[in-house]
Amino acid sequence: MRTWAPAAGAPHGFNHAKRWMIPRFRRTPAAGNLPSVEAVSLKLEEILFTVEEIRRRVEELSDLIRADYEGRDLHVVTVMKGSLFFTADLIRALRRRVTLGCLIASSYRERTVSEGNVELLTQEMGDVKDRHVLVVDDIVDTGYTLEKIREVLLAHEPATLKFAVFLDKVEMREVAFDVDYVGYTIRSKWVVGYGLDCAEQYRELDSIRVI
């Protein structure tokens, strides 16, 4: 999930409600270079990862995950909307039974700039207590959103909790957050396609492209 770093004084605790609001986020410098919606429609640039490169890496990740969870039930929690394509491909490639939940992490809504809040909606994540949980997201940069997701899920006492992302902008990390399964590590470019969007555009692209 593309994230915004919290301003000084932002709260760190959570209660056990289903709706989590993390207020007063500031834009990261890299996100400040995001083009307008009008410019995006004219500036789709090179393909970063092709359909075949995506398919091959998903298969490789599924092999690792299948081995790690052999003999254990697996509950997958997908972070909507961006990880929809990745999650669907991944759980099919696992070729084993899984249960599926979802949560919504939103800071952009239908804009190219943050509205200033990250909101987590967890009503559909499923019962994670005493279960082996794998959170699947499209992309991680600063790490703030995944760190908050981890804090929320740990409050529900899963047996184990791991994270898989397809893209990792590790050089943008602002909190100490390690991802267990990473598709590709990329530099600080804004990318769309394969579920990734800019103001809700271009999720449908089957490759990942730079804008």
Side-chain angles (χ1 to χ4, degrees), residues 35-176:
S36 67
V37 174
E38 293 78 9
V40 169
S41 63
L42 301 174
K43 292 185 64 175
L44 278 175
E45 297 178 359
E46 79 269 18
I47 293 177
L48 191 59
F49 299 109
T50 65
V51 173
E52 177 56 27
E53 287 170 328
I54 292 170
R55 185 202 63 77
R56 184 173 63 248
R57 188 57 182 145
V58 170
E59 287 286 348
E60 292 169 349
L61 289 174
S62 69
D63 290 342
L64 294 173
I65 294 168
R66 189 185 313 109
D68 288 349
Y69 287 93
E70 185 175 0
R72 295 188 289 175
D73 291 337
L74 177 58
H75 182 65
V76 173
V77 176
T78 181
V79 182
M80 300 290 283
K81 307 174 188 174
S83 66
L84 181 62
F85 288 27
F86 177 38
T87 302
D89 287 346
L90 184 65
I91 62 176
R92 285 193 295 256
L94 285 172
R95 294 185 289 278
R96 53 154 293 167
R97 288 187 177 179
V98 302
T99 54
L100 180 64
C102 66
L103 59 82
I104 298 175
S106 175
S107 62
Y108 294 86
R109 300 185 184 275
E110 295 183 359
R111 301 168 183 260
T112 58
V113 295
S114 173
E115 294 182 323
N117 298 303
V118 172
E119 187 174 86
L120 301 183
L121 305 178
T122 62
Q123 291 95 327
E124 302 299 327
M125 73 178 183
D127 182 12
V128 302
K129 183 176 174 59
D130 298 324
R131 303 182 73 183
H132 300 288
V133 177
L134 177 66
V135 176
V136 179
D137 204 357
D138 53 355
I139 191 167
V140 58
D141 42 41
T142 64
Y144 282 107
T145 294
L146 289 188
E147 178 61 30
K148 294 304 181 183
I149 290 172
R150 177 165 62 185
E151 188 172 349
V152 169
L153 265 64
L154 286 177
H156 292 267
E157 302 179 340
T160 61
L161 178 62
K162 292 187 177 183
F163 290 79
V165 302
F166 196 69
L167 300 177
D168 188 353
K169 295 182 182 180
V170 67
E171 66 183 23
M172 291 182 63
R173 198 76 87 249
E174 295 186 10
V175 296

Side-chain angles (χ1 to χ4, degrees), residues 2-21:
R2 297 181 231 238
T3 58
W4 302 103
H12 298 288
F14 291 92
N15 56 35
H16 292 278
K18 290 288 187 179
R19 189 179 181 95
W20 313 86
M21 184 67 77

